[in-house]
Each structure stands twice: as structure tokens, then as C-alpha cells.
Amino acid sequence: MTDLAPQELRVIAAVADARGFSAAARDLGMTQSAVSHSVRTSERRIGAVLFERGRRGATPTPAGDVVAAHARRILRLLDVMGTEARGIAAGPGGTDTVSGPLRIAAFRSAALHLLPPALERLTARHPGVEPVVRMVREVGRGTAGEVLDGRADLAVATIGTTSPVEPGLVGGVLLEEEYSLVHPAGHSAPRTLPLVDWDENCTSYTRDWWAAQSWIPEATVQAEDDGAVLSMVSRGLGMAIMPGLSLYGAPDGIRITALGPDRPTRSIGYLTTPEQARSLAVRALIRELRAERGVAAVSDSRKSD
């Protein structure tokens, strides 16, 4: 196999993202025939078909998905290499070596409450850093999948001993979230209310705890995200069981009740690739995220034991 050139990697990634040769050609400023020729050459060198061609465009094969993910990650490392090398070459007083775009994938509550103070400190210390945050639902592959696919440099994800780090990634736990019962303030029997729920990854410990609670009914309302759940509960439409980060800045009209000593918890952490873990920008962000460990603690007059 002959090594692929960066431009060939860009073509593969562009076709995978655009799901078509013509659209990729427009994005790259190339002709459609040049894109097709580049993909055919790459497939021949790799020894695998990367895209299924059809009337509706080009769909990555399983091999194509893997190759496109590697292509994005390699191209990103080339960008980081150049940025850091130029900064170091500028010497003391020159360009900040921690600079350039920093792509972050985070689920909703982390993007709203955990990231902003960390990014505020990061950009104050390193003005050249340009955070790009994408909110990704923490379902299935979730934010970790964004890093594995080369679309993010770092993910804020649910991890821990019962949600192991995906192969190919490294990471660490930032905080442990306690789950609490959330219900309309003033309700005399909140556990009798209908359950409002939403889909989001949790640990096996949480799932086991949930299954052992006979008082928890099947969800009557399935909301899109935790913000919608809080809104519905605040209007008296039901109760919910939610992790601490989702309750940060909860709206008026709700009460937060502890679930006892055996309450479930969820580990929140960061994930990145071994290569990106050595980059200056990612290391700087991890330092700031570790300083935010206590943000999930809910200290509110509406919280009761």
C-alpha cells in the first residue's frame, strides 16, 4: 500500500461528509471527475471499497466509515502540528503556542453548565484558542463517537467504571453526579405522579437501581432532552429522576428531593484520542475542566433530604 497524501484524505473525508461526489467537489473546489478519480485511486491503494455509489449519492461502506474517521483525525493532527510548531518557532513573547480551533462535543447539560466557565478561563489565558462547541445527544455512541470519527478533539461524556472508555480513546472522570427526584413544589405525594423521562446514556449501576424501584412507573411523557423535562415538571405535569448537572439553575416551581444513601450516580468525564491528549490546547482545556469538578453539586433552597 502506498501512503495516501493529505489531499487524498481530504477528498475521502469530504465525500463521506457530503454523501456525494458532486457535493464534495463543490466543497473542495474540484471537478467531480477529479474527486471520483481520487477516491478510486485511494480505494485501489487501500484495497477496499470505501463508498457505495448510487443515484442518491455516495454512502460510506463500513470500511469507508473507518477510513474517513482516520482521515479526519490525521488531517486534524496535521493542523495541530503546524499551529504548535509555528508558535514554538516564534519563541518567548511570540505567538501563543496554545492557539487555533478547539473542537468540543458535549451533551446539553455539560455544554450549558460545565463548559462555559472552563472555556472562559481557557480563552483568558490563551486568547488564540477558538472553541467550537457542538451539542450532541448523549445516546448510543454520543459525544465519544464524535471524537472517534474525527469530528471533535475532545468530548464531555458519561464514563466511569460501569461505562468504560471506548477503545482508541483516553480520558478521565471529572465529577460524579447524584440523581435526585424532581417534582412540582408543594405536591403532597410526588412519587405518585406520572414519570417524565428522556433518552440519555447512563451507567449500568443507574439502570440496575432504576429496575429495582417498584414505585417508578413507565414514562408517561418522553421528552426530547432534560431541559424539556424540567419545564414539564415545573408546570405540574409529572415528576422525574434527574442527574445533578441537569438541575443546575433549575426553574422555579420545582422541588429537588434526595433519593437516599443508595441513590444512583453518573460519572461525567472527558474523552480524547491519545494523540490529541498530547496537544497543547486539549491539555489546557482538560486542566480547566478539572477545576470545574464541583459544578454539579446542587446547593439550592428547593433541595431537601
Side-chain angles (χ1 to χ4, degrees):
M1 173 180 167
T2 302
D3 293 341
L4 300 184
Q7 180 60 14
E8 292 171 305
L9 298 177
R10 290 189 187 93
V11 169
I12 291 170
V15 174
D17 291 340
R19 291 297 198 267
F21 292 94
S22 297
R26 288 193 297 271
D27 294 340
L28 294 168
M30 299 170 62
T31 64
Q32 191 271 344
S33 59
V35 169
S36 296
H37 175 73
S38 178
V39 170
R40 286 195 302 271
T41 300
S42 296
E43 289 177 326
R44 186 165 58 251
R45 289 176 176 174
I46 293 171
V49 175
L50 304 181
F51 298 96
E52 295 288 349
R53 284 79 162 170
R55 293 180 179 177
R56 296 184 178 181
T59 303
T61 63
D65 279 329
V66 170
V67 171
H70 281 297
R72 295 187 198 99
R73 288 165 61 172
I74 292 168
L75 291 168
R76 179 61 179 143
L77 287 175
L78 290 174
D79 290 340
V80 171
M81 177 184 69
T83 298
E84 293 190 359
R86 288 189 293 273
I88 293 170
T95 303
D96 189 343
T97 54
V98 184
S99 61
L102 179 58
R103 307 171 307 163
I104 306 157
F107 54 93
R108 180 188 172 279
S109 58
L112 289 177
H113 308 305
L114 182 62
L115 273 177
L119 293 178
E120 182 180 23
R121 290 192 303 273
L122 176 69
T123 54
R125 291 189 173 99
H126 306 286
V129 173
E130 304 165 15
V132 180
V133 180
R134 292 183 60 235
M135 277 205 292
V136 178
R137 294 193 69 191
E138 187 65 345
V139 178
R141 296 175 77 235
T143 59
E146 297 296 297
V147 176
L148 286 169
D149 290 345
R151 303 182 192 278
D153 305 321
L154 179 142
V156 181
T158 52
I159 63 173
T161 55
T162 55
S163 297
V165 174
E166 292 271 358
L169 298 180
V170 296
V173 173
L174 295 169
L175 55 90
E176 290 286 339
E177 292 186 287
E178 295 180 1
Y179 280 76
S180 299
L181 175 64
V182 185
H183 54 90
H187 197 282
S188 59
R191 294 193 178 204
T192 65
L193 289 168
L195 177 68
V196 185
D197 200 10
W198 83 106
D199 288 329
E200 192 163 72
N201 290 347
C202 60
T203 63
S204 58
Y205 171 72
T206 300
R207 290 190 293 270
D208 291 344
W209 178 90
W210 196 289
Q213 309 304 308
S214 59
W215 60 274
I216 302 179
E218 291 292 326
T220 303
V221 180
Q222 195 76 22
E224 180 68 17
D225 57 40
D226 52 351
V229 171
L230 281 174
S231 179
M232 291 180 182
V233 172
S234 70
R235 293 179 179 275
L237 298 177
M239 57 89 172
I241 297 169
M242 307 186 71
L245 204 58
S246 296
L247 302 178
Y248 191 78
D252 293 333
I254 69 167
R255 186 75 173 173
I256 302 167
T257 302
L259 289 169
D262 295 326
R263 61 192 177 278
T265 61
R266 182 173 72 166
S267 300
I268 303 300
Y270 67 89
L271 295 172
T272 187
T273 63
E275 298 80 16
Q276 286 285 5
R278 292 191 289 271
S279 72
L280 296 177
V282 168
R283 285 162 55 191
L285 176 58
I286 291 171
R287 283 195 295 271
E288 301 302 341
L289 285 171
R290 283 174 172 160
E292 285 301 304
R293 291 176 186 270
V295 74
V298 180
S299 56
D300 195 298
S301 61
R302 292 164 292 175
K303 185 174 182 180
S304 63
D305 294 329

